[in-house]
Amino acid sequence: RSLVPNAAKMHQALASKAALAVKLTVVFVSLWRTEALLQTSDKTHSSGNSLLHSGNINQHPAAHQFWFRLKHGSVKHSHALDAELLQQQRQGPATETTHKSWFQRMGEAFWSAIVGICVLIPFSIALLWVNERRNAQLESVISLAQSEAETIETTQSDLSDFDGTIVHLNSESAKGLDPVHDERFPDVKMESGCLRLRSVVEVYQWKEEEHEETQKDSVGGGETTTKRYTYDKVWSQSIIDSSGFKQRYGHENTVHVQSLDPGEREVVNSTVKYGEPYWLPTEMVQQLDNFEDAKELVGKELKFGDGRPGDMMDSYEFKPNGSGWYQCPVRSVPEIGDFRVKIQYVLDGPATILALQTKDKHHEGGRTFGPYRSVPRGCCSGITESELKERRLDAAKKTPDELYEEEKCETFACLCCCCNVVSYIFAHVQMPGFSLTPQIYSAWPGEMSVKQCFNSEKSASLAAKWGLRLAGWLLLWVGLTATFAPLEVLLD
């Protein structure tokens, strides 16, 4: 340093070049070792180099793990890591094997028999009984409604005379008056003319599936259970946590769009008019399910996030991928973490109504609709028409708890607890277009005759009846199988 000028600078330059040469040497050695690892773990490839050049690096856990670490600047060059990855490749798919002795099986079979006798069998019988009672009530409601339904026009001057009467209307259009907008994509909005707006967001993720195989031991009465785990790439409406995967290497789930929650969300217009005097309740608007692709509303791109200075949320652009979805980023083969979005809406249009006409409390002089239900009519029809209408209106106002109080058994409450639980569930299952309460409260898109409406009601009733019957029989079969499980283990 005392003889050569600027010796310190030369020394630093030489040191940096030497360090760079060492890093490059380490990277090349690691690449060579990874290629050798791929050759060992996958004999179907002629060489590991062909896999690296094929672009299918994500399908090979060992190679994907190396490139993942290299990309994020945390490559660990150790024999222990390579040995671990090589061992995973030689093992193939992740498996888990457990063994149960005969005594363990007998203990589990004993508890399953208790559950079958005390829970499954009683509830299956209760489900079958309550379903048959519900079906008989609904058939009676449909039969009475067919004889009492009135087809009317919204332009009639004496609409108040039909309060408390089941009416059929098909001559007007449902019109949304309030603005609707999507919560996740604020640019997707309509000031009016939209009844329902729905957005579906999916993310491309690894999904772990469990395949279980049980074999009984030839001696001793025990059994061995082998669980095999496979991994597939799927479009999911939720972010799948890959930290709990049995084989995490090469199956790490990531997201490319931050702060965007996958799933389905819907906005229903709260103010919908039908003709001049009628206002549709939300339950009936949700039954108008003629969704259309909202590409005309969205346009050629869909934006998420503001991307403004000081805003923590970045801006992302979704563009059409040719299959009805908006994808970010757009590519022919999706990668883990990619998002896609579909926007759909139900616009103003013709609709058909079959329900009980009632007064609208929120709009003076207006009319709305409620459920048509069975009411007591007295002996030999000893009841006036006005009193019958009042009873129908009172029945339409009943809450699920009040309906349950009418149906539950109080005389033998201890013996009928299963029937009461099933009745409570039936009274509280209220979904758009589907209810387990015997009633008529329906809306359809388009124009339908009164005959077509009742045919639709009968078809829905038939499907619900047989669906619940099959569910009850299946639950009974499971209960009987659980009850005789100890005998099966004893024979082993």
Side-chain angles (χ1 to χ4, degrees), residues 211-269:
H211 308 273
E212 185 175 308
E213 181 180 356
T214 302
Q215 292 183 347
K216 296 180 180 179
D217 299 345
S218 57
V219 179
E223 64 180 16
T224 301
T225 301
T226 302
K227 295 181 180 179
R228 184 171 57 90
Y229 300 90
T230 58
Y231 301 87
D232 297 312
K233 297 178 182 179
V234 297
W235 286 105
S236 172
Q237 291 192 13
S238 62
I239 298 176
I240 301 176
D241 184 11
S242 59
S243 62
F245 285 177
K246 293 296 181 179
Q247 195 176 60
R248 295 189 299 273
Y249 291 115
H251 305 114
E252 296 90 356
N253 278 330
T254 59
V255 292
H256 293 163
V257 181
Q258 303 298 326
S259 303
L260 178 57
D261 297 328
E264 180 179 319
R265 294 186 185 178
E266 181 178 335
V267 181
V268 181
N269 201 315

Side-chain angles (χ1 to χ4, degrees), residues 283-395:
E283 296 82 5
M284 302 196 78
V285 178
Q286 291 176 323
Q287 298 181 43
L288 304 177
D289 56 357
N290 53 328
F291 280 98
E292 304 176 19
D293 194 346
K295 58 183 179 181
E296 296 183 359
L297 173 64
V298 178
K300 296 183 178 180
E301 66 178 13
L302 178 65
K303 292 184 178 181
F304 172 75
D306 293 334
R308 295 175 296 186
D311 196 340
M312 299 298 294
M313 185 184 296
D314 295 331
S315 178
Y316 301 90
E317 291 185 357
F318 290 79
K319 296 185 178 181
N321 62 0
S323 60
W325 294 81
Y326 289 81
Q327 189 170 332
C328 178
V330 178
R331 38 188 155 211
S332 57
V333 179
E335 297 181 1
I336 296 298
D338 288 0
F339 277 79
R340 67 177 185 178
V341 181
K342 176 175 285 189
I343 307 294
Q344 297 175 314
Y345 54 23
V346 177
L347 299 178
D348 293 353
T352 301
I353 307 297
L354 183 64
L356 188 75
Q357 178 177 304
T358 65
K359 292 182 179 180
D360 191 351
K361 297 180 180 180
H362 305 288
H363 302 88
E364 185 177 357
R367 294 294 184 269
T368 185
F369 303 99
Y372 175 85
R373 295 167 177 164
S374 176
V375 296
R377 296 173 179 262
C379 180
C380 299
S381 301
I383 185 175
T384 63
E385 183 66 22
S386 59
E387 187 176 356
L388 181 60
K389 290 181 178 181
E390 289 295 329
R391 291 185 180 184
R392 291 177 189 149
L393 293 173
D394 292 338

Side-chain angles (χ1 to χ4, degrees), residues 4 42 171 177 209:
V4 181
D42 194 352
S171 60
L177 304 182
E209 293 186 358

Side-chain angles (χ1 to χ4, degrees), residues 22 80 86 121 138 173 191 311 437 477 483 488:
V22 171
L86 179 59
I121 293 178
L138 184 57
S173 295
E191 295 299 326
D311 196 340
T437 301
W477 177 79
T483 301
E488 181 185 358

Side-chain angles (χ1 to χ4, degrees), residues 67-85:
W67 287 110
F68 179 81
R69 293 175 180 272
L70 181 62
K71 178 181 178 181
H72 291 81
S74 59
V75 179
K76 296 183 179 179
H77 309 289
S78 63
H79 293 284
L81 177 61
D82 289 349
E84 180 183 0
L85 297 177

